[in-house]
Each structure stands twice: as C-alpha cells, then as structure tokens.
Amino acid sequence: MCALRSEEMILNVGPQHPSTHGVFRLVVTIDGEQIVDADPVVGYLHRGTEKLAEDLQYVQIIPYTDRLDYVASMLNNYALCHTVEYALDLEVPARAEYLRIIVMELQRVASHLLFLGTYLLDLGAMSPFLYAFQEREQIIMLFNEICGARLTYNYMRVGGVQWDAPPGWIEKVRDFTAQMQKKVPMYHQLVTGNEIFLNRVRGIGVISQEDGIAYAMSGINLRSTGFNWDLRKNRPYSIYDQFEWAVPVGKNGDCFDRYFIHLQEIEQSLNIVAQAVERVPDGPIIGKVPKLVRVPAGEYYRGIEGARGELGVYLVSDGKDKPYRLKLRRPSFVNLQILRKLLIGQSMANLIAILGAVDIVLGEVDA
Amino acid sequence: MFSWQATPLRPLTLLGMLIGVVVVLALVLGIVTYLIYFERKVIGWMQGRIGPNRVGPLGLLQSVADVLKLLIKEDIIPANADRALFLLAPVIAFVPSFMVLAVIPYTASHIFTANLNVGLLYYIALSSLTILGIVMAGWASNNKYSLLGGMRSAAQMISYEIPLGLSVLGVVMLAGSLNLVTIVQHQATDRFGWYIIPQIIGFVVFMIAALAELNRTPFDLPEAESELVAGYFTEYSGFRFAFFMLSEYVYVFAISALATTLFLGGWAGPFLPSWLWFAIKTSAIIFFLFWVRATMPRMRGDQLMSFAWKVLIPVALFNVVLTGALSLIG
C-alpha cells in the first residue's frame, strides 16, 4: 500500500474554535481524518496572577483567585485562604467551616454540571447543555444571595467567610439539594444509556494508571483510571472527615469513566451538602484574625481537591504582609500535559471527545 | 384527474404551468420559512426555553427577519477561493431541492405537480445532485474545515443513498409502480392499508437514511459545529449561505412529504380535505425529525459508515427479499 501516499495537513484548531472552551489553541497535523501530531499552545489568557500576588496583601489576592478556574471560584478562594490559615495556624469557627463546605460542594456540583453540559454539546447533543445550565443557574442564584456575585465571589477570607448566610438561605439549599438529587437519574436516562453516546466515549482516550501518575494527573482524570486518590479523604482538610460519603472511582480510564464519575461526584457532593445543612451551628463566621495578616517566614504548601484535581498553593513568605512568592498548582494545566499523547493516532472527531473529557478551564491553564 | 402530459403544449397550458410552478415555489418557501420557526420553537420547548418571541406576534416574523438580514449582508468571496465554483456551488445544491418537489402528490387532484411514471426514481436521482454542490462548496472555499466537511458529506450522503434507495424498493414491489400517485392509490386499496404496516422495516430504514441524507442529528457530521466550525459552508455568508440553509430545509420538507407518500398513505384520509391530511402527516414526520435533534448526540464518522454498510444495507436487502417472498406466497 506504500504506493498510495497521502499528504499531511496542518489544521489550526483554535484559539477561537467552538470546542476549545475559551482561548486554547491546538495545532494538529492530520492525515485524512487521523491525527499524526498535536501541539497544544497555551497562554492566550495569561494574566500573571502569581506575579501580581507578590505585590498584594493576602486578602487582596483572594479576588484574583476567583479568575483562575472561573467556573469553580469558591474552591480557589478556599485554597488560598486555607494555605494562609495553615501558615498562621489559625482556628476557623465551626459555622464558617460549615458554610465553606456547603458553598464548596455546591460549587463542585455547578462546575461538574457545566462540564456535563458542554461535553455533551461538543458531542452534538444540544439539550443536556440547557438542562445542566438550568440546574447550575439555581446554584449561582444561591451564591448570589450569600455573597452578591454570580461568578467571581470573593467570598472567603483568611479565618472564615465574609458574609453570613441570609435568613432562609440554609433552607433554600436544603430544598435545592433534595430536588437536585432527584434530577441526577434524569441525566442517566437521557445520556448515559444512549447507544450513540456510549459509542463515542467508550474506550476513547484511555489513560493508564501508570501514565496518570507519571503525568502527575489528579482529580477525576486520575480517579477514572481506578486510582483512588481524593485529597478530601487522603489528606483531610476542613471538616470533610465528619461526613459520610464515598469516592467514585473508574475502571478503564476512558472518556466514559470520566463522564460517569462527574455524575457520581455530583451525587456525592449533594450528599455532603445534605448532611452539612442539617448541622450548621450558630456562632461567629470569622475567627480572630489580625487586621494585617503577616505570614511568618517560611514555605507552606496546601493542596485541596478542586473541581478538576489537586489545587495547590505554595507560599513562600519572608515575614511581610505580602507573599515573597506564590505558586499555584493548577490542575487543569497539569492534566493538559497528557493531551498530546492521548491524541496521536485518533481521529478528528475523537479530538473533541478527548479534549472535552480532560476537562480544562483556560483561566486556570493560563493563570 | 388532470395530467399535464396528456395535453398538448399551447400558450394557455404553458401559462397554467408557470402559474402552477410559481404557486408551488411560493408555498414551499412559505412553508420552509415557518419550518425554521417551528423547529426553533419545538426544540426550545423541549429544552425548557421559549424560542423566538420578539419579532412580530409570538415571534412569527423571526425567520422573515433572518432572511432579510442575510439578504442585506455583505457578500464575501474569500481571496483564494476558486471563484467560479464558489459561486456555482450554492446554486447546484439548491436547485435540485426544489426540483424534487415537482413529483410529490400533495392532493388528490394534484393539479400543480407532474404525474411522472418514474417519480420515485426522479426524486432519488435528483436529490443526490445536491452532494455535488456540497463537495464543490467544500473544495472551492479553500478552507481546511470546509474541505473536511465537504469530504465527510460526500462520503456520508453517497453511502446513505443506497439504503435509502433499497428501503423504498419494498414499496415499489408492493405497488408495482414507481409512480408516486399510483403508490398512494395502491395504499387505499391494499389489504394492509398504509405501507407503513407491511413495510415497517423499510420505513425504519428509510427514516434513518433520510436523517443521514438531510445531515441532521445524529448524522450531522458534515456541519459538526464543535469539530468543523460550520463544515462545508464555513466560508459562505449572506445569501449564498441562505441558499444552503434553504436547500436543507426544503429537503426536510421534501423527504417528509416523500415518507408520507410512500408509507403513510399520502393524501388519503377520511372527512378532512386531502391537502389537510397530507399536511398533517407531513408535519408529524417533520416533528419527529426535530424531536430526534433535541435528543441525540452526534455519531462519529467511522461508526456512521460502518452502520450504513454493515447494518442498514443488509437490513434493507433483507426487507426486499422478505417482501418478494411474501408477495410470492400470497
């Protein structure tokens, strides 16, 4: 067959392509419809968050973290506050911890819903996107009520949270949780059992466990390979050890597993929220924090389980009110590194299925 | 029944023909305009949205506004495009979509349509001409996405022509004619009634192949927005784009009308006038097409092809054999 030579073509996917979810560029070399090489180009959304942070007091950095993974801002808020609290060895009041858990888990649900919607939209199913956004909208409205913003919350503070829950808010969350728990089976019915969908995602973009670990992947991408690694369980922080919940783990590491774990994690997160709303104690919402936070000189690292994997904050302080260096471990960026390996040899149609399932947010990739 | 072919061509008959053509064209254009509106409304409701509701009462003038907007848009021809082919492609894609409408018997008295004795063959032959326009558009645009979209379309539409052709063969065998009017008349006297009952396999294959021919979900790969931006018409704008859109929706109408004629007894039905029966049945099939779009994800290219060749064509062939055997027995 070597007499039949076909020419390779370089196709520039993005940075303004409907399926790259923001400004991600992928230069693919294709032979017919088969991908021979793929070269991801990142940085279109780079804002220099880490450098900016060196000139800001700790409280002033919080709104910048909102803009990292902009569909899961609460978790970013927490990652920074948690590291500073850890460095200061601060006690956080119980009510604040509960409020944080509730908003963080709701945020995880919202983020996973966004993934489900856009992923299925990439695969050509239009309706789940709109259903998922209706659900997400309810969560956003709840956040709007507690902190006055729909997307960039700036809600958490070192030592607690900025606003207490308004009257009736906890009940609203309880109602929403109960209602949402009933809606998850609807997604299974509409999508999970669909033969066309299964054909598109099963056995596609398989990540082996060794690769997952070698590429330092985390979050759902790693758990889909069957590796049980969730920082909420493995390196407990906050009060996650007080709740009953499970870590969904996949088997094959393919796109279907990643999709399926997203849905299962929504259930687990709702589970945590449902338990938390029953037990929210009264009391202060912010601990005894000095007016001007000065982190003692040293190096500190705390990682939390973000919506997309291990969201770590590495803090170097020289004892001033501003960090000497702030390094963010952004899970999207780390998870993206395996993309080239996953794409080579696949068809163009699989490109979308694989890129979508790795689940990146460009605000986080480019920081 | 009135037959154009039986009358000699005189100035008066020619005038009558012209009027007929204009009426059918205007009707179809009106129908297509509201098909787009109907689709947006139906899918909107299915997705918990409202759909268009701003232009005119209930948004009824939305499609009109869209068409007007496309008309006054700048007509862009890419610098490196093959100019002649680029201009010709939308016309080639568009003209056959209207030509196939000539043989569809809308009413019992079908005064505006041709009573062609190879009507079905005419439909299938002409509708495949559209592929030419699509491939030309993909090639002439000189855009990689367009090219990929055009190639996908060609592969897909040619593959699905075969099951489409085979699936209607059972109907032809039962009716013993390729004439669409005769097929409808046969269904009125057939002991099973409408051919959807004895030809249920053929109907299912026909509907699947029709979805693929129309490039609609779950077979909308050629214009897979998330992969190929807009497929073969990525570079088209303004009214040339509208031509592609229009031909697509005319085909939605045409294939639904064909399915009505072949499988649902055409215009036949009690009490109501025949054109109304035809409209009801056609709308039901169109609604089904929209419903599928709101539900299904998109198939992948290679799966699409293997589905056509390994599943649909054998099933359609089996249907032909089964129909033959059954009509031999009794």
Side-chain angles (χ1 to χ4, degrees), chain B residues 14 20 26 42 60 63 68 73-74 96 128 133-134 147 159 164 171 202 207 227 247 253 258 261 278 286 290 327-328:
Chain B
L14 189 68
V42 165
L60 279 169
S63 303
L68 276 179
K73 276 218 157 185
E74 188 192 348
S128 53
I134 287 173
L147 183 64
S159 295
L164 190 79
V171 171
M207 285 313 291
E227 295 153 30
S247 77
F253 172 70
L258 186 68
T261 309
F278 189 84
I286 290 173
F290 293 164
S327 41
L328 268 182

Side-chain angles (χ1 to χ4, degrees), chain A residues 36 45 55 84 92 143 200 205 217 247 279:
Chain A
V36 185
L45 205 59
D55 256 340
V84 178
V92 180
F143 287 164
R200 288 289 309 266
M217 298 182 94
V247 179
R279 300 191 218 152

Side-chain angles (χ1 to χ4, degrees), chain A residues 128-201:
Chain A
F129 172 74
L130 288 138
Y131 298 143
F133 264 60
Q134 279 161 19
E135 254 77 87
R136 179 172 173 267
E137 180 69 20
Q138 285 175 285
I139 298 176
I140 288 175
M141 290 312 280
L142 286 171
F143 287 164
N144 193 9
E145 227 172 296
I146 201 170
C147 62
R150 287 168 52 86
L151 214 57
T152 47
Y153 309 108
N154 190 16
Y155 178 57
M156 297 196 191
R157 292 290 177 273
V158 176
V161 294
Q162 175 66 28
W163 314 101
D164 201 351
W169 191 80
I170 301 282
E171 285 70 35
K172 275 186 194 164
V173 173
R174 183 185 296 141
D175 293 347
F176 168 77
T177 314
Q179 180 200 345
M180 185 66 209
Q181 271 168 334
K182 283 189 209 120
K183 282 202 176 146
V184 176
M186 187 187 86
Y187 286 93
H188 284 303
Q189 242 177 4
L190 181 64
V191 183
T192 312
N194 188 309
E195 197 61 37
I196 298 174
F197 171 72
L198 290 178
N199 276 328
R200 288 289 309 266
V201 294

Side-chain angles (χ1 to χ4, degrees), chain B residues 251-266:
Chain B
Y251 270 123
V252 168
F253 172 70
I255 214 130
S256 307
L258 186 68
T260 308
T261 309
L262 294 177
F263 295 100
L264 297 182

Side-chain angles (χ1 to χ4, degrees), chain B residues 222-243:
Chain B
E223 46 206 79
E225 189 189 53
S226 46
E227 295 153 30
L228 297 178
V229 190
Y232 57 86
F233 52 60
T234 304
E235 291 288 355
Y236 281 87
S237 62
F239 217 65
R240 282 176 224 292
F241 167 75
F243 269 130

